[in-house]
Amino acid sequence: MAFLEKMGKTRYGDQFRLHQEEKSVISKLRMYAIRDEENCQKHKIDPDKGILLTGPVGCGKTTLMNLIKYFMPAEHGHVIKPAREVAFEFNIHGHQIIQRHATPKTTFCYDDLGVEPIMKHYGNDCNVMAEILLSRYDLFISHKTKTHATTNLNASELEKLYGNRVRSRMRELFNLIAFDRDAKDKRK
C-alpha cells in the first residue's frame, strides 16, 4: 500500500491518502494486476477477465484504476475513457466511434459507466455504451481482449439502463470488485 500511496502523491499531490477501509479493494486490484493466481482463485477473481469496480460517488474508483496500472506490465495496461465522453463523441462521429472501441489491441477502462446519456446521430437513438459493451464482449470471446469499467450503479440499475442481454455478458466480461456501500466521498 505504501508504494501505491507514494505513486498517488506523485500523481495527485501531497494531499493524496489511501485509507484502511480501502485495503480489501486495493488488495484485490493488486493481486489481479500482478496475476497472483493463488490469491485470485481464493477471492474468485479471474485474471483473464476485466474489472468492474463499483462504489459510491467519490470513493476513489477512477484514481485506483489509474494507479493500479503501476503494477501491470505495459502490455496489460489500459486506457481510461469517460463513458460520457464516448457518448458525446458518438453524437459527432456516429457509429465510427463504436468501431473505434471494437479493436482487440486496446484495453479500455470505461469510467463512470451509466452516467452517459442516450445519444442521437442523424435522428437515431443509440445506447452507445450498451453497443460498445456488446462489441467488447465479442472481442473478449474471440481475442481474450479485456475491458474494465467503473460505476456508481448496482447490478439492477445497470440492467435497467443496458438491458438483461448486456448485463448477462457483463457477468462473463468482468470480475466484480466493490467498495463498501458506506465508503466516504473523498472530495468533501
Side-chain angles (χ1 to χ4, degrees):
M1 235 165 97
F3 173 76
L4 208 55
E5 189 160 307
K6 180 181 177 190
M7 298 312 295
K9 286 181 185 297
T10 300
R11 185 168 182 154
Y12 298 107
D14 287 336
Q15 77 284 357
F16 180 83
R17 299 275 182 276
L18 293 175
H19 304 326
Q20 195 59 34
E21 60 267 14
E22 300 168 326
K23 191 174 182 178
S24 172
V25 169
I26 292 168
S27 177
K28 288 175 185 174
L29 288 171
R30 191 183 69 238
M31 68 182 71
Y32 171 85
I34 65 171
R35 296 184 67 87
D36 178 346
E37 303 269 341
E38 183 180 326
N39 281 312
C40 280
Q41 188 175 10
K42 213 183 289 184
H43 291 277
K44 297 182 177 148
I45 296 171
D46 182 346
D48 294 323
K49 292 166 58 168
I51 295 291
L52 177 61
L53 186 57
T54 67
V57 172
C59 67
K61 297 176 297 294
T62 305
T63 300
L64 285 179
M65 289 306 288
N66 272 311
L67 293 177
I68 206 65
K69 291 192 283 186
Y70 290 112
F71 288 98
M72 296 176 168
E75 68 271 12
H76 293 290
H78 49 269
V79 175
I80 296 184
K81 193 81 171 157
R84 289 184 75 233
E85 187 178 306
V86 175
F88 292 136
E89 287 173 357
F90 175 85
N91 198 36
I92 296 166
H93 301 288
H95 290 278
Q96 161 186 115
I97 294 305
I98 295 170
Q99 290 303 315
R100 264 190 222 157
H101 290 265
T103 173
K105 295 179 182 172
T106 306
T107 300
F108 285 103
C109 176
Y110 297 107
D111 190 35
D112 275 335
L113 191 64
V115 300
E116 74 282 351
I118 301 294
M119 298 305 286
K120 286 185 185 273
H121 186 71
Y122 291 112
N124 297 318
D125 284 348
C126 183
N127 189 327
V128 177
M129 290 310 301
E131 292 299 325
I132 287 175
L133 288 171
L134 290 171
S135 294
R136 299 297 296 181
Y137 172 80
D138 292 341
L139 288 173
F140 174 70
I141 296 302
S142 62
H143 293 89
K144 298 296 179 205
T145 301
K146 291 182 187 177
T147 303
H148 307 298
T150 69
T151 187
N152 303 323
L153 304 181
N154 63 35
S156 60
E157 291 168 325
L158 288 168
E159 183 172 352
K160 184 177 179 185
L161 186 61
Y162 298 124
N164 64 354
R165 185 169 169 236
V166 173
R167 181 177 175 200
S168 173
R169 283 163 174 76
M170 288 175 75
R171 285 187 198 102
E172 198 170 339
L173 192 58
F174 297 121
N175 291 289
L176 177 63
I177 297 178
F179 276 89
D180 185 54
R181 202 172 30 197
D182 299 322
K184 297 174 191 151
D185 185 340
K186 294 178 186 150
R187 296 184 192 120
K188 289 184 179 182

